[in-house]
């Protein structure tokens, strides 16, 4: 039974349009050292779903308009799965599951699963979350994870617990409320959302995307985040400076640049930066900013870090991430939904190399009783070759890199070397 319809917003439609380039699915896996209470987790999910009703929605595309249709039922049964695995197959089973996708035209658009292995008589769980990127961005995804963990902790003492979090404003224009009049005028005049032809480079994939390709998430873990921060402080750098420098250098090893070409990295940017902390709640509010520091990266890694830092400092006041949003919104409002999809495919210059720093994962997102996190995977969408997305997240004193892709086996070898080089460069800063 359906009780509510919500009109789709700009970001919802844009994510749907981009499904030809990626699977518009976010995923995370928390590997614990013990067992989660399955029934308590279901109760926590039910409580949170009540506060985040859009997660039980189905996206309805129409020729003129698109909408979210939300069902009445908030039971966790349709959102939860349980799997028993052997110790030898545990990690591989998790990795295969989280490489799967959420189809935005089918329910559920959110899934939770427990993968349980029994080792030396002890039950050890991995908690997995999958969520359609149409529902929320990485920040919203992490907020949902935090809400579930808090409900899990609160329900034993308060069976009628209601989550303190909820739906946010899904209109992309909300951050304009916090800009000055001059900034709003500047933002609305920023209509550039395209790449120059000589910047749209691709890694040397052997083939374009094919539906038969394997989907895989490559990962690397670098311990010693505090030591990396000390390196940054000693040299007047930001953490993003060093990550970008490592990425640029790893890319340059694999790209042959022509005389007029330079490497551009499309960086995902959280537009909450323009709003007071905590105001956005659960929504989709991300954009992108192009980072291109030219052809020369210097001799050593520190040289590249300084070049990146100077570039970023020179552009820090240019309303990063707002370019082209007013133009995209005009297209979304002026044309029927299906015509907008055609126009995006015709005119949008899809970036081929991207980076997403999801940020620092709040420990509250992974607090389930006294269980300790042994490892984690958290990343955004699986990209389709030749597009590439490197993502990272920090948790306590570790940095977790992920590269999610659908490509040939031969191309995975190339990508494994790429993510390995980035992680090694960061690891050497300790």
């Amino acid at each position: 039974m359906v009780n509510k319809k919500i009109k789709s917003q700009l970001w919802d439609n844009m994510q749907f349009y981009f499904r030809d380039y990626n699977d518009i699915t976010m995923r995370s896996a928390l590997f614990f050292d013990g067992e989660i209470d399955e029934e308590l987790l279901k109760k926590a999910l039910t409580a949170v779903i009540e506060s985040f009703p859009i997660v039980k929605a189905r996206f309805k595309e129409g020729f003129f308009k698109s909408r979210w249709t939300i069902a009445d039922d908030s039971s966790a049964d349709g959102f939860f799965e349980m799997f028993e695995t052997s110790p030898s197959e545990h990690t591989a089973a998790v990795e295969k599951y989280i490489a799967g996708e959420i189809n935005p035209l089918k329910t559920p658009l959110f899934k939770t699963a427990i993968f349980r292995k029994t080792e030396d008589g002890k039950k050890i769980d991995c908690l997995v979350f999958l969520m359609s990127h149409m529902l929320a961005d990485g920040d919203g995804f992490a907020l949902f994870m935090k809400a579930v963990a808090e409900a899990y902790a609160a329900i034993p003492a308060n069976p009628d617990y209601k989550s303190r979090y909820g739906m946010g404003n899904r209109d992309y224009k909300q951050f304009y409320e916090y800009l000055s009049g001059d900034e709003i005028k500047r933002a609305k005049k920023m209509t550039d959302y395209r790449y120059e032809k000589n910047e749209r480079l691709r890694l040397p994939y052997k083939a374009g995307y094919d539906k038969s390709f394997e989907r895989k998430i490559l990962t690397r873990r670098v311990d010693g985040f505090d030591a990396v921060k000390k390196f940054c402080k000693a040299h007047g750098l930001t953490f993003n400076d060093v990550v970008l420098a490592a990425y640029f250098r790893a890319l340059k090893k694999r790209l042959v640049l022509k005389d007029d070409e330079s490497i551009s990295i499309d960086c995902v940017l959280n537009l909450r930066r323009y709003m007071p902390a905590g105001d956005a709640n659960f929504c989709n509010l991300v954009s992108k900013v192009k980072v291109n520091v030219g052809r020369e990266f210097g001799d050593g890694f520190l040289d590249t870090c300084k070049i990146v830092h100077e570039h970023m400092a020179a552009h820090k006041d240019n309303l990063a991430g707002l370019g082209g949003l007013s133009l995209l919104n005009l297209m979304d409002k002026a044309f029927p939904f299906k015509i907008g999809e055609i126009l995006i495919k015709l005119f949008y210059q899809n970036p081929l190399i991207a980076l997403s720093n999801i940020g620092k994962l709040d420990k509250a997102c992974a607090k389930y009783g006294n269980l300790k996190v042994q490892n984690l995977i958290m990343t955004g969408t699986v990209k389709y070759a030749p597009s590439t997305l490197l993502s990272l997240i920090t948790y306590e004193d570790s940095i977790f890199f992920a590269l999610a892709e659908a490509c040939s086996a031969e191309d995975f070898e190339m990508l494994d070397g790429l993510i390995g080089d980035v992680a090694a460069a960061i690891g050497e800063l300790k």
Side-chain angles (χ1 to χ4, degrees), residues 1-17:
M1 185 175 180
V2 171
N3 68 354
K4 192 173 183 181
K5 292 183 178 180
I6 299 177
K7 184 179 179 181
S8 64
Q9 297 284 350
L10 172 66
W11 290 136
D12 309 336
N13 294 342
M14 291 300 109
Q15 291 292 346
F16 186 79
Y17 292 158

Side-chain angles (χ1 to χ4, degrees), residues 278-289:
D279 270 22
N281 225 331
F282 185 76
C283 65
N284 229 334
L285 203 61
V286 292
S287 184
K288 67 185 186 68
V289 60

Side-chain angles (χ1 to χ4, degrees), residues 49-337:
I49 290 168
E50 192 66 32
S51 295
F52 296 77
I54 200 168
V55 304
K56 56 184 178 178
R58 174 177 291 188
F59 186 71
K60 298 283 190 179
E61 57 173 335
F63 182 84
F64 290 102
K65 298 293 181 183
S66 58
R67 293 186 179 276
W68 293 103
T69 304
I70 301 179
D72 287 327
D73 185 21
S74 293
S75 168
D77 292 339
F79 301 86
F80 177 78
E81 295 179 284
M82 182 79 188
F83 301 95
E84 298 278 353
T85 65
S86 67
S88 62
E89 298 174 346
H90 186 69
T91 300
V94 171
E95 290 178 347
K96 182 177 181 180
Y97 184 88
I98 65 172
E101 66 179 307
I102 298 284
N103 187 327
L105 299 177
K106 297 180 180 179
T107 54
L109 298 186
F110 166 77
K111 293 181 182 179
T112 308
I114 291 177
F115 283 78
R116 177 168 293 162
K117 65 178 179 179
T118 302
E119 199 165 26
D120 298 326
K122 182 180 180 181
K123 294 179 179 179
I124 301 174
D125 290 346
C126 176
L127 177 60
V128 172
F129 294 96
L130 294 180
M131 179 177 284
S132 171
H133 207 335
M134 295 180 68
L135 299 181
D137 52 24
D139 206 74
F141 185 34
L143 179 68
F144 189 90
M145 292 170 59
K146 185 177 182 179
V148 174
E150 288 188 3
Y152 183 92
I155 286 174
N158 180 12
D160 297 321
Y161 172 82
K162 304 292 184 185
S163 177
R164 64 192 178 104
Y165 307 108
M167 296 289 292
N169 183 351
R170 301 180 68 81
D171 188 342
Y172 89 99
K173 293 179 290 185
Q174 60 187 292
F175 51 79
Y176 284 163
E177 297 176 20
Y178 306 98
L179 300 178
S180 69
D182 179 64
E183 288 173 329
I184 292 173
K185 290 178 181 178
R186 285 172 55 202
K188 290 184 176 181
K189 290 180 180 178
M190 296 167 63
T191 58
D192 183 15
Y193 213 71
R194 296 165 63 92
Y195 269 32
E196 298 297 328
K197 184 179 295 186
N198 64 347
E199 295 177 317
R200 297 189 67 246
L201 303 180
R202 47 168 284 177
L203 282 162
Y205 289 92
K206 299 301 181 183
Y209 175 62
D210 187 291
K211 289 185 178 180
S212 66
F213 282 159
E214 181 182 6
R215 303 159 59 86
K216 188 183 294 186
I217 299 176
L218 306 176
T219 61
R220 290 293 190 280
R221 174 176 179 170
V222 177
D223 296 324
F225 180 49
D226 286 341
V228 176
K229 288 191 294 184
K230 289 179 182 177
F231 171 85
C232 293
K233 185 176 181 180
H235 296 283
L237 305 168
T238 68
F239 179 56
N240 280 338
D241 291 338
V242 300
V243 171
L244 278 164
Y247 199 18
F248 270 122
R249 294 178 71 88
L251 290 166
K252 192 171 184 181
K253 285 176 60 176
R254 293 161 176 85
L255 293 170
V256 178
L257 304 182
K258 298 178 182 178
D259 290 342
D260 64 338
E261 292 181 334
S262 56
I263 302 172
S264 284
I265 297 177
D266 199 62
C267 294
V268 177
L269 191 74
N270 190 339
L271 295 179
R272 289 167 178 79
R273 64 189 289 157
Y274 297 110
M275 304 169 65
D279 270 22
N281 225 331
F282 185 76
C283 65
N284 229 334
L285 203 61
V286 292
S287 184
K288 67 185 186 68
V289 60
K290 179 180 68 178
V291 179
N292 186 330
V293 298
R295 293 171 55 85
E296 300 301 324
F297 294 160
D299 295 327
F301 182 71
L302 182 57
D303 296 324
T304 308
C305 290
K306 291 179 178 179
I307 290 170
V308 172
H309 179 76
E310 290 176 4
H311 173 86
M312 300 301 284
H315 292 81
K316 67 181 180 180
D317 62 345
N318 70 339
L319 299 178
L322 304 189
L325 295 188
S326 58
L327 189 62
L328 285 174
N329 183 60
L330 176 63
M331 184 209 73
D332 193 48
K333 299 293 184 184
F335 294 96
F337 178 77

